[in-house]
Amino acid sequence: MRVVVIGAGVIGVTTAWYLQEAGAEVVLLDAAAAPASGSSFANGGMLHASHAEPWNAPGVGLDLLRYLGRRDSPLLVRPYAIPGLIGWGLRFLGNSRRGRFEEHTRLNARLAAFSLKEIDRLQRELAPEGLDFDFRRSGILKLFQDPASQARNRTASEDMADAGVRFEDWTVERIIAEEPALAPVRDQLCGGLYFPDDAIGDAARFTAGLLAIARRRGLTYCPGVAVRRLRTFRGRLDALETSEGPIAADACVVANGYHAPDLLRPLGIRLPVAPVKGYSLTLPMNAGTRIHLPLIDDANKVVMTPLGDRLRLAGTAEFAGRDGSLNPQRAASVLDHCRRTLASLPEQMDAETMAPWTGLRPMSARGTPILGATAVPGLYLNTGSGHLGWTFACGAAALVRDSVLGDPPALPMDGLTL
Ligand SMILES: Cc1cc2nc3c(=O)[nH]c(=O)nc-3n(C[C@H](O)[C@H](O)[C@H](O)COP(=O)(O)OP(=O)(O)OC[C@H]3O[C@@H](n4cnc5c(N)ncnc54)[C@H](O)[C@@H]3O)c2cc1C
């Protein structure tokens, strides 16, 4: 069976890997010249089942109004993006009803926990072949300044216990003992939740490393090839029209991030996926900025992740349409928010040593990824993973493999399909 996968981000490469591992002949296409050039390039590095809540939590509408016009806020809606977001936005808000949100959180947590086991397996099996992506089963510490917020998070974490999410309640003393870099902000903290099964790793290094091994095992990778149209014959997927001419396929997996709706629209398939912009900074770790534990700062909505000898700072959610330009002020605001917790960070952003980056997360209006078969035989999806694409990558790829090959799914797919 010849399967064409569109998109060589972390989602497309893992999909290609799982299909090839199961015996399919796989062709991987990407418009960009190198893998992980899009949203997978410099993300927060967190592999966290503990953070499975969709972003459309109950009350998200009020949050959006509260932050409106505040340029340094972690959540920002650009007025020019609003017309293009109306349909998606109404569905996004509709899914913030408590029952739906809780159901989607459970689905995400189960997929994430499964995915973490899969990435752990891949890391162990493929390390001898050179797969190295600064992976560490370090656990992740979530810090709180507000006891009410900590209590809400504790309840949410308890609700995810069935999915296998475990946590420990840490006092401020325990936090400082485990992560002395936080001593200067001791008085601001009220406590933390530590998630021992979470992990960290560099998504771009993983994507490039896995692709290199897949190619050695026979995968065909075509960089610089843009897919322009999906062609059907008698209602079934037949071929892809690309910048390099037509490519025939028995099956095709659309895994091209927030661009996926463009390819599906001409086939009459409306895919509720929109780009949500975020920023990161990557700096060398030195004596002043060294942390041992990956940190999520609940109050300031940023993450700080030690990746080998580098520190990755990431955050912000911006509805800015498809504008992928890097706004230095927004990048600097990530540093500013991180400094409120990690006081030893430099005061000013220095683009020379801090490598600012921006990416567009492919966010589904539901808050769960959109996986598996479509109404068009031969056409499959793996997109919409939003703020959790790195976490979901291996689990989602395994489910899509099962769907393409017609095997029983490794997890129930209800609530994860179109
Ligand atoms: C700031 C930030 C921090 C994040 N932090 C985390 C985190 O800590 N943990 C976590 O789990 N997730 C995190 N994420 C989310 C995660 O990075 C994304 O969900 C994930 O990278 C999405 O991967 P993807 O492969 O779907 O998309 P992409 O990486 O964007 O890949 C899509 C690819 O498709 C290609 N393409 C598009 N259109 C076409 C076409 N027509 N033809 C051919 N190729 C095409 C593009 O060139 C691109 O290479 C973060 C995201 C951001 C922006």
Side-chain angles (χ1 to χ4, degrees), residues 9 11 30-31 39-40 43-46 227 256 259 386-391:
I11 296 290
D30 197 295
S39 178
S40 310
N43 68 19
M46 300 251 166
V227 179
N256 60 341
H259 296 278
H387 63 299
L388 288 166
W390 176 212
T391 303

Side-chain angles (χ1 to χ4, degrees), residues 293-351:
L293 284 175
L295 305 172
I296 299 180
D297 179 344
D298 171 71
N300 293 301
K301 309 284 180 242
V302 281
V303 305
M304 290 156 262
T305 313
L307 291 171
D309 55 3
R310 297 163 301 149
L311 178 62
R312 173 84 38 88
L313 314 174
T316 77
E318 192 176 322
F319 295 93
R322 293 176 169 221
D323 174 8
S325 63
L326 194 144
N327 176 336
Q329 271 178 339
R330 291 292 287 166
S333 105
V334 171
L335 177 65
D336 194 42
H337 283 87
C338 289
R339 281 195 78 249
R340 296 176 193 175
T341 306
L342 200 55
S344 55
L345 285 170
E347 275 176 43
Q348 300 291 329
M349 189 181 88
D350 168 6

Side-chain angles (χ1 to χ4, degrees), residues 3-342:
V3 187
V4 178
V5 177
I6 308 171
V10 69
I11 296 290
V13 169
T14 45
T15 305
W17 172 269
Y18 275 82
L19 282 162
Q20 177 172 269
E21 214 186 13
E25 179 198 338
V26 182
V27 178
L28 176 66
L29 309 177
D30 197 295
S37 300
S39 178
S40 310
F41 184 69
N43 68 19
M46 300 251 166
L47 293 155
H48 45 179
S50 63
H51 213 58
E53 292 101 336
W55 277 357
N56 43 357
V60 68
L62 287 177
D63 283 345
L64 285 167
L65 288 176
R66 192 157 52 96
Y67 288 130
L68 213 58
R70 279 181 46 191
R71 287 182 172 277
D72 68 333
S73 74
L75 190 63
L76 189 68
V77 184
R78 298 279 182 197
Y80 59 78
I82 292 174
L85 271 175
I86 289 173
W88 180 91
L90 289 174
R91 292 177 76 163
F92 183 76
L93 293 175
N95 279 303
S96 71
R97 290 217 293 273
R98 181 156 300 281
R100 289 188 189 176
F101 170 75
E102 287 176 355
E103 172 61 10
H104 296 157
T105 302
R106 271 192 292 277
L107 290 171
N108 280 351
R110 188 179 58 188
L111 175 60
F114 168 60
S115 195
L116 293 199
K117 288 195 183 112
E118 283 293 302
I119 197 164
D120 196 64
R121 174 181 71 81
L122 280 190
Q123 194 275 332
R124 274 184 281 108
E125 288 177 8
L126 299 178
E129 290 190 53
L131 185 67
D132 175 8
F133 55 104
D134 296 315
F135 179 71
R136 200 149 65 82
R137 280 176 229 96
S138 51
I140 289 176
L141 174 61
K142 197 164 183 180
L143 301 166
F144 297 93
Q145 299 182 9
D146 168 21
S149 182
Q150 184 173 1
R152 267 196 308 277
N153 272 266
R154 191 183 292 115
T155 307
S157 304
E158 281 163 358
D159 288 346
M160 288 191 265
D162 285 349
V165 175
R166 298 184 303 146
F167 71 95
E168 297 166 12
D169 234 314
W170 281 12
T171 61
V172 176
E173 287 66 37
R174 174 85 191 267
I175 291 171
I176 306 300
E178 301 281 351
E179 188 49 84
L182 296 171
V185 293
R186 170 196 301 264
D187 294 344
Q188 290 168 32
L189 301 174
C190 68
L193 298 177
Y194 174 68
F195 300 92
D197 301 317
D198 284 348
I200 49 173
D202 184 322
R205 291 192 68 197
F206 171 83
T207 307
L210 192 65
L211 177 57
I213 299 171
R215 291 180 76 186
R216 291 205 290 274
R217 296 185 183 185
L219 177 129
T220 306
Y221 166 53
C222 308
V225 176
V227 179
R228 297 199 170 128
R229 202 167 76 90
L230 302 172
R231 223 171 56 193
T232 55
F233 181 67
R234 294 190 173 147
R236 190 191 157 80
L237 181 97
D238 162 51
L240 293 81
E241 283 176 14
T242 79
S243 51
E244 305 299 311
I247 296 180
D250 299 315
C252 167
V253 181
V254 177
N256 60 341
Y258 74 89
H259 296 278
D262 304 346
L263 290 176
L264 294 163
R265 203 171 299 115
L267 300 176
I269 300 174
R270 290 177 70 86
L271 189 64
V273 171
V276 181
K277 197 170 182 175
Y279 281 86
S280 75
L281 296 167
T282 307
L283 47 152
M285 262 206 297
N286 57 38
T289 58
R290 185 165 300 282
I291 53 173
H292 304 284
L293 284 175
L295 305 172
I296 299 180
D297 179 344
D298 171 71
N300 293 301
K301 309 284 180 242
V302 281
V303 305
M304 290 156 262
T305 313
L307 291 171
D309 55 3
R310 297 163 301 149
L311 178 62
R312 173 84 38 88
L313 314 174
T316 77
E318 192 176 322
F319 295 93
R322 293 176 169 221
D323 174 8
S325 63
L326 194 144
N327 176 336
Q329 271 178 339
R330 291 292 287 166
S333 105
V334 171
L335 177 65
D336 194 42
H337 283 87
C338 289
R339 281 195 78 249
R340 296 176 193 175
T341 306
L342 200 55

